[in-house]
Amino acid sequence: MDNTQSMQMGRRTALMQFIPVMLCFFAMGFVDLVGTASNYVQQELGLNDSQANLFPSLVFFWFLIFSVPTGMLMNKIGRKCTVLLSLIVTAVSLFIPMFGEGYYTMLIAFSLLGIGNALMQTSLNPLVSNLITPDKLASTLTFGQFVKAIASFLAPILAAWGATSAVITFGLGWRVLFPIYALVCLLSISMLAATPIEEKRPDKASGIMECVRLLGRPFILLCFIGIMCHVGIDVGTNTTAPKIIIERLGLPLEEAGFATGIYFIFRTGGSLLGAILLRSVSAKKFFALSVAMMLVAMGILFVSHTIHMIYIGIALIGFGNSNIFSVIFSQALNNSPAEQNEVSGLMIMGLFGGTVFPLAMGYASDFLGGQFGAVAVMTLGVLYLMMYTLKIKNN
């Protein structure tokens, strides 16, 4: 009886820890609203592709600056406290657009959103490792990505609803998604703060050079570049999908924006399926299939001029890219179990790919006079991931 009660209490405690952490993954997904927001801001201010793509690029620029220092900060204040700090910064960033509509106001808001997300992604993924065993890490992180994808999927829907329901949304228009997400962020702060989580503290604190030196390990470097390609494809598709439809079919942004919803629907479904399959299927085989889907999708986007084929291409990218991050991240953490905070910082620094890819895609599109250039840049990322597949370990 005592053992049964102890097991029940253990399950209840694990569940009470799991729910707030998963709500934090939902808040992590708020960063993906930048793709939707940048399209609306581009339309409002009459920006070209290079100028508009500065918004997602600026968001992910901060991953380069803050990820490694966040890994060291976790060594000092703990992973949970670092996640709470990230949520506070994120909440502030979401309130700013409610008080201004200018170009620089949005730059400030997106900068804070990027800083908060850099802190969150660096600290939240290792925090999960305190709750589950290493062999379940990939599937659990994938489930977290599924929860994150729900927030990403809702962003274009909320923005489109706000744009067509200005009276109901108090005149905020598409910006109504900011206060909605801000309230969820405040809920995440209160729930996580009230949740006790036991953390294993590192034996020693690391410096920046000790963290960066880990890139000298070939496998860690491969993982780092893989993360760059993953997020570059993710942000690139999020930003470019509506532009492809507008360019080739002439639809207005409110209708073309549904393409972003298609991407996140299939990314959400792919994350849920991956959370289940990665508990029993080889990570290497699953990863290879995912990359193959994206390669087929790029071919479709190069040549298609019908709405249904474009949707199929976008859906395949969403499904294929849904589990890339989780597999690469878990491979990196399990490769260096004694330096997980430092490795986490490096991997999240790889999200700087969200700066590099949109900028390159914007310039390529402007240079070639169409979104063909953007698709070509994303294809390079897919080809790298094909090469990375050969290095995956089935752990």
Side-chain angles (χ1 to χ4, degrees), residues 49 240-251 256 301 305 310 365 368-373 375:
D49 282 343
T240 303
K243 295 179 184 179
I244 292 176
I245 293 177
I246 292 171
E247 176 183 274
R248 298 180 186 177
L249 302 176
L251 296 180
L301 293 184
H305 287 77
I310 293 174
S365 297
L368 296 176
Q371 298 306 315
F372 177 88
V375 177

Side-chain angles (χ1 to χ4, degrees), residues 142 230 233-234 237 262-271 273-274 278 283 285-298 312-328 382 385 389:
T142 296
H230 155 73
I233 295 166
D234 184 67
T237 304
I262 291 288
Y263 173 73
F264 286 119
I265 286 172
F266 280 86
R267 199 182 81 171
T268 303
S271 296
L273 182 63
L278 281 171
K285 292 180 180 177
F286 194 83
F287 192 93
L289 178 61
S290 298
V291 176
M293 286 183 183
M294 289 194 286
L295 188 61
V296 171
M298 294 302 163
I312 289 173
I314 293 168
L316 285 173
I317 298 174
F319 199 87
N321 207 29
S322 58
N323 300 289
I324 299 298
F325 176 86
S326 301
V327 173
I328 295 177
V382 176
L385 292 175
T389 305

